Amino acid sequence: MLETLWFFLWGLLWAVYFMLDGFDLGLGILLPVTSKRDKETRALYRAMGPFWDGNEVWLVAAGGVTFAAFPTAYAVMFSSLYAPLLCVLFALIIRAVAVEFRGQLEASAWRAFWDACLWASSFAAAFLFGLIFANLFRGIPLNEDGLFQGSLLALFNLYGVSGGAFFLIAFMFHGSLWLVIKSDGKLRSRAIVAAVSSWTAVTLAALLFLILSGFRTDLYVNYVNMPVLFLIPGAAIAALLAARIFISRRSWWKAWFSSAIFIVAATFFGIAGLYPYILRSTLDERFGITLYEAASSPLTLKTMLVVVCIFVPLVLVYQGWVYWLFRDRIEDGDTAAGEPY
Amino acid sequence: MDVLILSRIQFAAATYFHFLFVPLTLGLSIIIAIMETIYVRSGDTDYLRMTKFWGKIFVINFVVGVVTGITLEFQFGTNWSRYSQYVGDVFGPLLAIEATAAFFLESVFLAVWIFGWKRLSPKAHVAAIWLVAFASTLSALWILVANSWMQHPVGYVLRNGRAELANLLDIVTQSYSVLTFLHATSASYVVAGFFVMGVSAFHLLRNSHRLLFEKSFRIGLYFSLIFSIFVVAEGHMHGADLAEKQPAKLAALESLWETQAYAPLYLLAVPGMDNEGNVLEFGRVPGVMSLLAHHRPDAVVTGLNDIPKELRPPVAPVFYSFRFMVVLGGLFVLLTLYGWLRRNRLSESRTFLRILVYAVPLPYIVCLAGWTVTEVGRQPWIVYGLMKTADAVSPIAAGHVAVSLWAFIIVYSLVGVGAFAMMLRIIRKGPAEDARKEVSSHA
C-alpha cells in the first residue's frame, strides 16, 4: 500500500516537472521561430526568467524522491541510462548558463551564441527526456542481476525516438501557449501561429504514440485488466481537445492549463501501464524490477511521506504565488536596457 | 584507467567545481541581506547600490552552483549505483529532504528577489533575500548531514542486505553533523567576507565609489572577523571529535605512525609516498597532538601502523591539505584582526588593501583543501567502516565514464571561465551610479 502510494507520488513528481519545465524548454525550442529581433528575444527570456529555476527544482525533487523511495530503481535506472542522462544534465547546465549569461554583454555575437545554446540545449533536453521515458515505458534490456545489457544506440529504437519527438512537440505546444500569455505585438502573433500549428502536430504525435504503445510495449495489459484506467489517456485526449477549443476562444490561460493537464495525463499513461514494475526488462519479464523490490524500508517511506506532505503543499503555495506575482504580460518598458535579460 | 578511478576523478572534479561557487553564495546571501536591510531601515541609497552590485555576482554564482549541484545528485545513481542501492534507504531521504524543504525555497525566492524590485514593497523585497539566505543555509545543513553520515554512519540497521534507516534524528543531531555544518558554513562565510573585502579593496585602491566601498568593506570585515575566529576554534573541536570517530584520518592529519601516549607534533614532517612512514621528522614537540585530540598530554593516540595498510588513507594529500588549512586559517584571523585595528584608516593602508585583493582566492583554496582532508581522509571507505569506495562504483563500461569525464571537463571549463569572466567584468565596472534609476528599470 505504502509502496503503491509512493509509486503514484514518484510518477506525480516527474509529471509536475514535465508540466512546469516543459514550457520553458518549449520556449527555448521556439526561440528561432518566434523571435526575430533582440527585443523579442529578450521578451522570450523574460517569459521564463522568474520561473525556470523553480521549475527545475522539481527535477531535483523527482530525482531525490526516486533515490529515497526506490533506491534500487534509482541505481539501476540511472546507471543503465548513463549516457542520455548525463547529456540531459549537460543540456540543462547549458540552458541555465545561457539564460543567465546572455544579458551580461551587449555584443550581438555574444547574444547570438547564447541564443543558439538555449535552443540546442532545450531541444536536446526535451528530446532526451522523451527518449528516456519512452524506453522506460517499453522496458530496457536488464539481465537477472539488474545489469543493463544494451547499448546506447539501442535506446534510439522506433518507440524511443517517437517518445522523444512526442515530448519535443508537446513542450513546444506548451511553451507557445505560455508565450502567447506573456507577450504582445508581433511576437505574440507568431506565438499564436506556433500554438495552432503545434496543436495539430502534438495531436498527431499523441495518437501515434498511443498506437505505437500498443505494438511496441506491454503498457496496455494493465488497461485491459482494469478498464477504468482508460480514463487517463482519455483525460489526455480531452485536455488536448479542450486546449484547441480554448485557443479558438482566445482563452489562453485556460488553454495553457489544458496543455498542463495533457502533459500530466500523458506521463501517467505510461506510469499506470508500468505498474507494478518501476523498471521493465525487455529480455525477460521476470528480470524487471517491481516497485516492491525497489522500495525503501517502511520507515523511510513513512518518513518521506511526512516530509512530502508538509513541504510539497507549502511549495505549491509559494510557487503558485510567484506565478501570480509575475502573471502580467511583458510590455515594452520591461525589456529596456539594464534588465536582468 | 578503470571505472573506479575515472568515477572518482569525475566525482571529485564535479564536487570541487561545485564548491567554487557554493561557499560564496552561502555567505554573500547573508551579506546582501544585511546590506539591503540597512538600506530599507536607513534609506541610504549607497546600500541599495551595494545590494544590487553584490547581487549580480551572487546570481551568477548561485546559478552555476545550482546546475553543478544537480549533476552531483544524479551521479550517485549514474556512477555510484552500488552505493545507492546499499545505503539509499538512509542516504536518499537526506537528499530528498534537502530538495523539498530547502532548495525550492531558495530558488523560488531568489527569482522573487531578482524580478520583484518593482512589484514588492521594500520590506517584502528584503524578506525575499533573507528567505534565500535562510534556505541556502538549510540546504547546506542537509547536504552536510548526508556527507557526515558517510563519514560517521549512525541511525541505521543492516537488514535485507542493505543499510536501512533506523533513526533520522540520530543522523541529524550526531556531533559529526553539527560540527561539519558549523565548520563548512563558517568557512563559507569567510570566503564571502574576504571576497567582499578584496573587491572593495580593489575599488578603494582605485579611489572609485569610495564611500560605498568603505561601507562594503566594513561589512565584509566584521563578517570575516567573526567567522575566521569561530572557524579556527570550531575546527579544533572537529579534530578532537575525529580522535573518537575516524582515528585513521586523525593520524593522517599529523602523519602519526606509532600509537603512543604523549603523541608529538612535528614542526616539520614529510610523509613518504609509499604510505609507510615519514621520510623526515624535525622539531618534535611531545604531547601536543595528544593534547589537541584528547585534551590531555598523556592520552594515547592511535598511529597509522596500527591500522592495516589497506585501510589507511593516502597520507600525503591529507597531511598537506590539513597544513594549508591550518596555516591559512591562522592567517585569516591575523588579517581580519589587523583590518579591525585599521578600520577607520582604510584609505591610508594601501599595502593592507593590496594584500586583501590578492587574498581573495585563499579562502577558496582552504575550502578545497578542507574537502580533500574530509574526503580523501575517509578513503578507502565511502561510508566509514561500512562500505568501501571500490565496492560502490556502478557496473558500467569505463569508456562511458571516460567520455563523460571529458564532457565534464569541457562543459565545466566553459561555464567556469564564463562565470569568472562575467564576475570580473561586473567587478571592474563597479556599481551603477544612480541606484533609483536602476530600481525603476528592474520591472
Side-chain angles (χ1 to χ4, degrees):
Chain A
M1 189 56 218
L2 203 53
E3 289 92 344
T4 308
L5 179 63
W6 266 107
F7 185 72
F8 170 79
L9 286 172
W10 170 76
L12 189 65
L13 279 166
W14 283 103
V16 171
Y17 169 68
F18 292 139
M19 175 185 102
L20 292 179
D21 215 19
F23 79 77
D24 29 69
L25 290 172
L27 284 173
I29 301 164
L30 285 168
L31 185 132
V33 189
T34 50
S35 316
K36 307 289 179 201
R37 292 178 306 151
D38 186 54
K39 213 173 88 177
E40 291 166 351
T41 312
R42 270 211 306 262
L44 183 128
Y45 277 87
R46 276 304 296 272
M48 67 175 98
F51 312 109
W52 74 268
D53 194 5
N55 295 345
E56 199 167 280
V57 180
W58 287 92
L59 173 69
V60 182
V65 159
T66 314
F67 197 174
F70 301 106
T72 304
Y74 176 81
V76 175
M77 198 180 284
F78 291 171
S79 57
S80 299
L81 302 171
Y82 187 90
L85 193 82
L86 282 177
C87 287
V88 167
L89 296 180
F90 288 130
L92 292 177
I93 289 178
I94 292 168
R95 187 266 300 255
V97 169
V99 171
E100 210 42 61
F101 287 6
R102 181 188 192 271
Q104 300 279 356
L105 276 182
E106 288 288 339
S108 60
W110 173 263
R111 298 194 157 188
F113 172 73
W114 290 114
D115 290 346
C117 282
L118 182 80
W119 175 80
S121 58
S122 305
F123 189 98
F127 179 82
L128 288 170
F129 270 127
L131 182 87
I132 290 170
F133 270 76
N135 273 294
L136 292 177
F137 295 161
R138 174 176 174 265
I140 51 176
L142 291 178
N143 72 6
E144 52 199 319
D145 301 318
L147 295 178
F148 184 63
Q149 302 296 308
S151 67
L152 177 57
L153 279 178
L155 298 174
F156 287 81
N157 53 65
L158 176 66
Y159 189 69
V161 172
S162 74
F166 173 46
F167 266 50
L168 195 67
I169 299 168
F171 288 177
M172 233 162 85
F173 177 58
H174 203 39
S176 62
L177 290 173
W178 186 255
L179 193 56
V180 179
I181 290 170
K182 299 297 281 184
S183 63
D184 62 3
K186 282 197 181 132
L187 181 60
R188 188 164 199 260
S189 1
R190 287 191 212 110
I192 292 176
V193 174
V196 172
S197 48
S198 57
W199 182 86
T200 314
V202 77
T203 307
L204 289 174
L207 290 175
L208 179 74
F209 192 70
L210 281 177
I211 294 167
L212 268 179
S213 299
F215 289 104
R216 299 277 166 153
T217 73
D218 295 329
L219 291 178
Y220 284 113
V221 174
N222 284 344
Y223 288 85
V224 174
N225 292 337
M226 217 177 142
V228 66
L229 289 177
F230 276 109
L231 284 174
I232 299 170
I237 302 286
L240 261 190
L241 293 175
R244 188 65 188 86
I245 293 167
F246 290 130
I247 289 174
S248 343
R249 291 194 193 153
R250 303 277 187 254
S251 307
W252 300 108
W253 274 105
K254 287 178 185 163
W256 183 79
F257 274 115
S258 307
S259 156
I261 292 169
F262 167 70
I263 291 177
V264 172
T267 311
F268 266 98
F269 161 70
I271 303 280
L274 212 51
Y275 183 89
Y277 289 100
I278 196 158
L279 273 173
R280 276 179 188 276
S281 171
T282 49
L283 298 182
D284 186 322
E285 203 172 292
R286 288 167 306 161
F287 301 162
I289 298 169
T290 67
L291 61 113
Y292 302 102
E293 290 161 347
S296 280
S297 65
L299 179 63
T300 295
L301 293 180
K302 277 181 211 152
T303 310
M304 284 308 300
L305 200 59
V306 173
V307 170
V308 163
C309 286
I310 294 171
F311 287 105
V312 169
L314 201 65
V315 170
L316 290 174
V317 168
Y318 62 69
Q319 202 170 16
W321 173 72
V322 170
Y323 274 80
W324 174 253
L325 186 68
F326 299 108
R327 66 191 176 281
D328 294 353
R329 212 177 274 181
I330 294 150
E331 284 157 25
D332 258 10
D334 286 354
T335 48
E339 270 300 307
Y341 302 117
Chain B
M1 279 194 277
D2 66 1
V3 65
L4 174 65
I5 292 290
L6 288 167
S7 289
R8 285 184 62 183
I9 295 174
Q10 180 169 308
F11 199 80
T15 318
Y16 283 136
F17 189 79
H18 179 61
F19 222 68
L20 283 179
F21 299 91
V22 170
L24 186 68
T25 61
L26 279 174
L28 208 49
S29 61
I30 298 175
I31 292 179
I32 292 170
I34 292 170
M35 289 169 174
E36 196 179 341
T37 307
I38 298 177
Y39 161 67
V40 171
R41 297 181 71 116
S42 70
D44 182 342
T45 50
D46 268 358
Y47 285 98
L48 176 63
R49 290 168 64 204
M50 218 186 273
T51 305
K52 298 223 158 202
F53 172 71
W54 297 106
K56 282 184 192 161
I57 294 168
F58 173 71
V59 170
I60 289 176
N61 277 272
F62 186 90
V63 169
V64 180
V66 166
V67 289
T68 53
I70 296 178
T71 62
L72 283 177
E73 180 195 6
F74 283 94
Q75 274 186 79
F76 285 110
T78 53
N79 294 72
W80 305 99
S81 66
R82 290 203 173 104
Y83 168 83
S84 303
Q85 221 158 338
Y86 191 60
V87 302
D89 198 86
V90 189
F91 189 82
L94 303 173
L95 293 194
I97 293 172
E98 189 262 343
T100 44
F103 196 25
F104 271 116
L105 198 64
E106 216 176 324
S107 299
V108 169
F109 280 93
L110 180 63
V112 171
W113 188 77
I114 297 174
F115 292 93
W117 285 100
K118 243 172 41 176
R119 283 168 200 262
L120 294 170
S121 72
K123 275 185 183 157
H125 193 263
V126 77
I129 191 75
W130 277 113
L131 272 175
V132 173
F134 165 74
S136 306
T137 313
L138 195 63
S139 230
L141 173 76
W142 284 103
I143 293 302
L144 293 168
V145 164
N147 181 270
S148 300
W149 188 82
M150 298 167 82
Q151 304 287 343
H152 186 247
V154 294
Y156 71 96
V157 284
L158 291 177
R159 199 163 41 203
N160 304 320
R162 63 178 178 185
E164 292 193 348
L165 185 68
N167 192 330
L168 184 67
L169 205 62
D170 281 357
I171 298 173
V172 181
T173 57
Q174 68 152 321
S175 62
Y176 205 108
S177 296
V178 176
L179 290 169
T180 303
F181 170 71
L182 293 175
H183 197 67
T185 46
S186 47
S188 300
Y189 298 163
V190 174
V191 171
F194 269 77
F195 187 89
V196 169
M197 284 197 294
V199 171
S200 304
F202 170 78
H203 280 282
L204 289 174
L205 285 168
R206 296 204 311 184
N207 228 344
S208 63
H209 310 280
R210 230 190 73 204
L211 279 175
L212 185 149
F213 279 111
E214 273 183 358
K215 292 171 185 166
S216 270
F217 189 96
R218 275 183 184 223
I219 295 174
L221 175 68
Y222 289 132
F223 203 71
S224 29
L225 175 67
I226 295 167
F227 290 106
S228 299
I229 295 172
F230 180 81
V231 78
V232 170
E234 195 277 340
H236 161 69
M237 287 159 68
H238 213 25
D241 198 51
L242 278 184
E244 183 199 329
K245 295 189 169 124
Q246 287 190 351
K249 188 188 280 178
L250 181 75
L253 290 182
E254 299 293 355
S255 199
L256 181 80
W257 296 87
E258 297 306 325
T259 301
Q260 54 193 289
Y262 298 99
L265 209 65
Y266 294 97
L267 293 180
L268 179 70
V270 178
M273 280 325 210
D274 55 2
N275 228 24
E276 292 195 0
N278 292 335
V279 291
L280 184 74
E281 286 174 353
F282 172 78
R284 182 184 163 96
V285 191
V288 177
M289 191 178 168
S290 294
L291 194 66
L292 288 173
H294 296 282
H295 303 125
R296 276 186 313 154
D298 60 340
V300 176
V301 181
T302 310
L304 287 157
N305 283 338
D306 276 331
I307 295 160
K309 197 174 177 215
E310 66 280 6
L311 297 183
R312 284 176 211 157
V315 175
V318 179
F319 176 83
Y320 290 119
S321 303
F322 181 63
R323 301 251 123 22
F324 248 115
M325 203 165 76
V326 171
V327 171
L328 289 178
L331 179 70
F332 299 155
V333 174
L334 295 179
L335 279 175
T336 47
L337 280 174
Y338 183 78
W340 184 70
L341 291 173
R342 305 284 298 184
R343 68 193 178 282
N344 294 326
R345 282 160 295 164
L346 279 176
S347 25
E348 301 156 35
S349 323
R350 294 187 72 83
T351 315
F352 176 64
L353 291 178
R354 230 168 264 137
I355 290 172
L356 280 183
V357 173
Y358 289 107
V360 169
L362 299 181
Y364 284 93
I365 296 172
V366 172
C367 281
L368 299 185
W371 276 116
T372 308
V373 169
T374 310
E375 303 295 275
V376 177
R378 189 189 56 216
Q379 301 304 325
W381 302 100
I382 191 164
V383 183
Y384 198 73
L386 182 66
M387 186 184 208
K388 295 249 185 73
T389 310
D391 300 327
V393 74
S394 294
I396 49 174
H400 276 54
V401 189
V403 172
S404 68
L405 178 57
W406 277 110
F408 265 98
I409 290 169
I410 293 165
V411 174
Y412 278 23
S413 307
L414 284 175
V415 171
V417 169
F420 281 109
M422 307 260 100
M423 275 156 68
L424 276 179
R425 213 180 134 262
I426 293 169
I427 289 168
R428 284 233 175 81
K429 209 171 144 200
E433 286 298 339
D434 187 348
R436 295 203 184 280
K437 201 171 126 206
E438 262 236 319
V439 176
S440 60
S441 76
H442 276 75

